[in-house]
Amino acid sequence: MPEALKKEFVILLLCLFPLLSFAQVMVKQEIDSVEIFIGEQAHIKLSVRAKKGQDVVMPVFKQSEYLTPGIEVLDSGRDETTDIDDNTTETVREYTITAFEDTLYYIPPMTVKVGGKDYKGRNLALKVLTCEVDTLHPERFFPPQDVQDPPFEWREWWDLILMMFVALLLSGLAYFFYRRLKANKPINIKLNFRKKLSPYEQAVRDINHLKDKGMSHSEDQKDYYSSLTDVLRNYIESRFGFNAKEMITSEIIAALQKEDKATMVGELKQLFETADLVKFAKFQVSLNENDTNLTNALQFVTTTKQEEKKEEEKPKKSEAERQIILWRRIYKVVISILCIAATALTVYAAWQLIMII
């Protein structure tokens, strides 16, 4: 490179160096509204972009201090610094201002110190407006009004009245049941509860049901043997405690042979095998054999039934006495529920009344 060209290049770099160093700092000053009414507020946003690590000092004004004659600073805000990239940060502060005189204000640039050097924002303007008021005839537009009571509206009280009515109704029902409880007078509704049958009782009942329906003489032998084996599987599962419903015949017989009290296993095996032939191979069985299998099923259930523990005999109450005891318990539960519901509604309604008043 020629010597003269080198000198010109160095001079150019020396001229651009101050500009490059200055470009690292950028100050932006803006206002959110250029017009406000007297006493309204505006906000000046002052933002500074600088190299990361440089010390940025924003101007701070005391409360009610004047930024410029006529413009009062209400709040100087706080610095909020964010990273723009790996080398640049942005610091923002927002000032709240107001004015009370109808005129156009000039807002001078604010001075920010960055790395010990002063940098300025830009000039701003703020127009403050006022409303014309006829002080001689104020009643012309807004005449004085007397103090008025708010209008009474039923819809504000409807929910409260409804809650009180429901609370009274519940209280009345509770009192009604209490009087009947004291008088020992049940409501004339007879309650019957079905006793849970033992596995033996349930199986005998189901087998007798098949017998009464005459299914052993039915032409649909598949349905008959399916019903009979289902009764036996349910009984075996309840009586011996293994899942006979999901087991095949050989598994059921093997499990029964392990039981000490299981008898007639051979007859039961023949019954299940016959049932499998009828259901899956369309095998035909004589009517006599159908009756024999039904009898064997009933005998198996009878011989393997579980002996029930004998309880000490207590004097049995009559049906009327049992009904009265049951109704007294029901009365007590119903009265308790009604009293709790009525009390809760009353307390809530009282609270709503206090809030309205």
Side-chain angles (χ1 to χ4, degrees):
M1 182 182 293
E3 190 67 23
L5 187 59
K6 286 183 179 181
K7 290 181 179 181
E8 292 179 0
F9 183 71
V10 171
I11 293 171
L12 180 61
L13 288 177
L14 292 175
C15 292
L16 291 176
F17 182 76
L19 296 176
L20 292 173
S21 62
F22 176 77
Q24 294 176 353
V25 178
M26 183 174 66
V27 180
K28 188 176 182 181
Q29 179 177 337
E30 54 188 355
I31 190 169
D32 62 350
S33 178
V34 295
E35 288 185 352
I36 62 172
F37 284 99
I38 289 177
E40 283 189 333
Q41 297 178 0
H43 300 87
I44 296 177
K45 181 180 178 182
L46 186 63
S47 58
V48 180
R49 289 194 179 186
K51 292 182 64 175
K52 186 176 292 187
Q54 285 187 313
D55 187 24
V56 178
V57 180
M58 294 284 203
V60 179
F61 301 91
K62 296 179 180 179
Q63 189 173 7
S64 300
E65 184 179 351
Y66 285 95
L67 176 62
T68 190
I71 296 183
E72 182 180 344
V73 179
L74 301 178
D75 185 17
S76 293
R78 294 182 180 179
D79 290 348
E80 296 182 2
T81 303
T82 56
D83 293 337
I84 302 301
D85 51 40
D86 294 339
N87 299 318
T88 308
T89 61
E90 183 179 40
T91 304
V92 179
R93 183 183 283 254
E94 189 174 82
Y95 303 85
T96 304
I97 61 173
T98 188
F100 298 93
E101 192 173 331
D102 179 17
T103 187
L104 177 64
Y105 290 96
Y106 164 75
I107 302 176
M110 295 185 182
T111 302
V112 182
K113 285 186 175 293
V114 182
K117 295 183 180 181
D118 291 342
Y119 297 89
K120 292 183 178 294
R122 67 185 184 91
N123 300 328
L124 298 174
L126 178 64
K127 175 65 176 177
V128 180
L129 307 174
T130 186
C131 297
E132 295 184 1
V133 179
D134 187 359
T135 56
L136 297 177
H137 305 91
E139 70 282 356
R140 179 175 300 174
F141 301 100
F142 302 102
Q145 299 289 336
D146 294 333
V147 178
Q148 296 182 357
D149 294 328
F152 180 83
E153 296 185 3
W154 277 104
R155 62 181 180 182
E156 296 179 359
W157 294 82
W158 175 245
D159 293 340
L160 183 61
I161 294 172
L162 181 61
M163 283 188 289
M164 292 302 298
F165 175 76
V166 174
L168 288 174
L169 179 62
L170 295 177
S171 300
L173 288 174
Y175 179 72
F176 168 76
F177 286 114
Y178 173 76
R179 290 296 301 270
R180 295 194 71 87
L181 177 64
K182 294 294 287 185
N184 205 17
K185 293 181 179 179
I187 299 176
N188 294 326
I189 300 177
K190 189 174 181 179
L191 298 178
N192 294 321
F193 297 93
R194 182 178 296 177
K195 180 183 175 182
K196 183 179 179 180
L197 301 178
S198 66
Y200 164 73
E201 293 172 335
Q202 184 66 47
V204 171
R205 179 181 176 182
D206 293 340
I207 291 175
N208 288 330
H209 180 68
L210 295 178
K211 183 178 179 181
D212 294 339
K213 289 178 64 176
M215 293 189 67
S216 60
H217 295 171
S218 173
E219 295 181 359
D220 191 356
Q221 293 188 353
K222 180 177 180 181
D223 184 29
Y224 164 65
Y225 278 99
S226 296
S227 302
L228 182 60
T229 52
D230 286 343
V231 172
L232 291 172
R233 289 176 187 272
N234 291 331
Y235 169 75
I236 292 170
E237 181 172 331
S238 301
R239 170 63 180 86
F240 297 102
F242 53 85
N243 190 8
K245 296 178 183 178
E246 304 297 332
M247 299 169 67
I248 60 176
T249 299
S250 59
E251 293 174 339
I252 294 175
I253 299 303
L256 286 174
Q257 288 174 345
K258 296 179 182 179
E259 300 289 337
D260 295 335
K261 296 183 179 180
T263 59
M264 297 186 63
V265 177
E267 291 81 352
L268 190 67
K269 178 181 179 182
Q270 183 178 358
L271 189 155
F272 273 107
E273 289 177 348
T274 302
D276 291 340
L277 291 173
V278 171
K279 289 189 291 183
F280 304 113
K282 298 182 179 180
F283 185 75
Q284 294 294 322
V285 183
S286 65
L287 297 179
N288 291 335
E289 189 173 355
N290 289 343
D291 292 335
T292 301
N293 287 329
L294 185 66
T295 303
N296 290 338
L298 183 59
Q299 188 174 357
F300 170 79
V301 171
T302 304
T303 55
T304 58
K305 71 176 180 178
Q306 190 173 14
E307 296 181 0
E308 299 180 357
K309 296 180 180 180
K310 294 183 179 179
E311 298 180 356
E312 296 182 0
E313 293 186 0
K314 298 180 181 179
K316 295 184 179 180
K317 295 182 176 64
S318 65
E319 181 66 20
E321 290 176 335
R322 289 198 298 269
Q323 289 290 328
I324 291 175
I325 293 173
L326 177 61
W327 275 110
R328 287 184 66 86
R329 293 176 181 173
I330 294 175
Y331 279 157
K332 292 177 181 179
V333 173
V334 171
I335 291 171
S336 300
I337 294 174
L338 291 175
C339 289
I340 293 173
T343 303
L345 278 175
T346 303
V347 172
Y348 183 74
W351 178 72
Q352 289 289 331
L353 180 61
I354 294 173
M355 295 295 293
I356 294 175
I357 296 176

